[in-house]
Amino acid sequence: MTATVPHPRQHAGERLLTPGEVATLFRVDPKTVTRWATAGRIGSIRTPGGHRRFRESEVKTLLAELTTEATEPVRNA
Amino acid sequence: MTATVPHPRQHAGERLLTPGEVATLFRVDPKTVTRWATAGRIGSIRTPGGHRRFRESEVKTLLAELTTEATEPVRNA
DNA sequence: AGTCAGTGGGGTAATTAGGGAG
DNA sequence: CCTGTCCTAATTACCCCACTGA
């Protein structure tokens, strides 16, 4: 396991995700998530130790923006 | 879980946070917050019994300083 | 007096950061 | 241009038990 369970008790639903969790959501390597943060494509919060945390809301929004639905119906349905 | 909510009305300007509460803000383990205090990365106040408390204003400031917003637009959006 | 979540201290595994080469 | 992997070092997470604090 990585950490504690999700917190229902945060500021304003400001849950944070670890690089590994974000990597799982996008099905990529955690290293890639780090590069996104370095490139400024996704906001990040650094711990005093240097590790990164990501806003869950931002990650979800990003996922939604990059999601494309099928526009043509299946011909054999 | 680490931080519960039972809380005394800490009136006055300076509200104090428990290690568990600070840990929640940074999405880390309460033990990690303790190490930050030991390493001098964050100021702490010790109770006569040895437990630590952190200044909310200092924590918030630190959190804000370590926060980076996304600057580059998403390619596929 | 007694309960009990939270904390401290110590020690060991798991993640992460960073650079670099493919 | 972007990503996954290898490496080392640093940071963090989870385990124990004893004590604090409300």
Side-chain angles (χ1 to χ4, degrees):
Chain A
M1 292 325 174
T2 314
T4 49
V5 295
H7 305 285
R9 179 75 184 83
Q10 184 82 17
H11 239 356
E14 190 85 75
R15 288 197 304 172
L16 299 180
L17 301 177
T18 64
E21 291 170 338
V22 177
T24 300
L25 291 176
F26 281 90
R27 200 55 168 94
V28 295
D29 194 273
K31 189 79 172 184
T32 300
V33 178
T34 295
R35 293 197 185 97
W36 293 345
T38 302
R41 291 200 178 84
I42 182 174
S44 65
I45 299 176
R46 311 273 296 209
T47 67
H51 285 202
R52 296 183 182 86
R53 297 285 114 101
F54 304 92
R55 304 177 199 274
E56 186 187 40
S57 58
E58 185 177 354
V59 173
K60 284 186 174 179
T61 299
L62 193 58
L63 265 174
E65 288 180 346
L66 299 176
T67 298
T68 303
E69 300 297 338
T71 55
E72 293 293 325
V74 179
R75 303 164 70 90
N76 277 18
Chain B
M1 194 76 66
T2 40
T4 340
V5 192
H7 249 0
R9 290 285 154 247
Q10 187 75 29
H11 48 285
E14 202 59 60
R15 197 152 72 103
L16 298 180
L17 301 178
T18 64
E21 291 172 331
V22 177
T24 300
L25 292 175
F26 282 91
R27 182 60 165 86
V28 294
D29 192 274
K31 294 287 189 177
T32 301
V33 179
T34 295
R35 292 194 218 92
W36 294 344
T38 301
R41 298 181 196 272
I42 183 175
S44 63
I45 298 175
R46 308 277 297 212
T47 66
H51 286 195
R52 297 185 180 84
R53 296 288 118 94
F54 304 89
R55 297 186 177 281
E56 185 184 39
S57 59
E58 181 180 354
V59 174
K60 282 188 173 180
T61 300
L62 185 61
L63 190 58
E65 289 179 351
L66 296 174
T67 299
T68 303
E69 301 298 337
T71 58
E72 297 297 325
V74 181
R75 299 164 55 84
N76 294 3

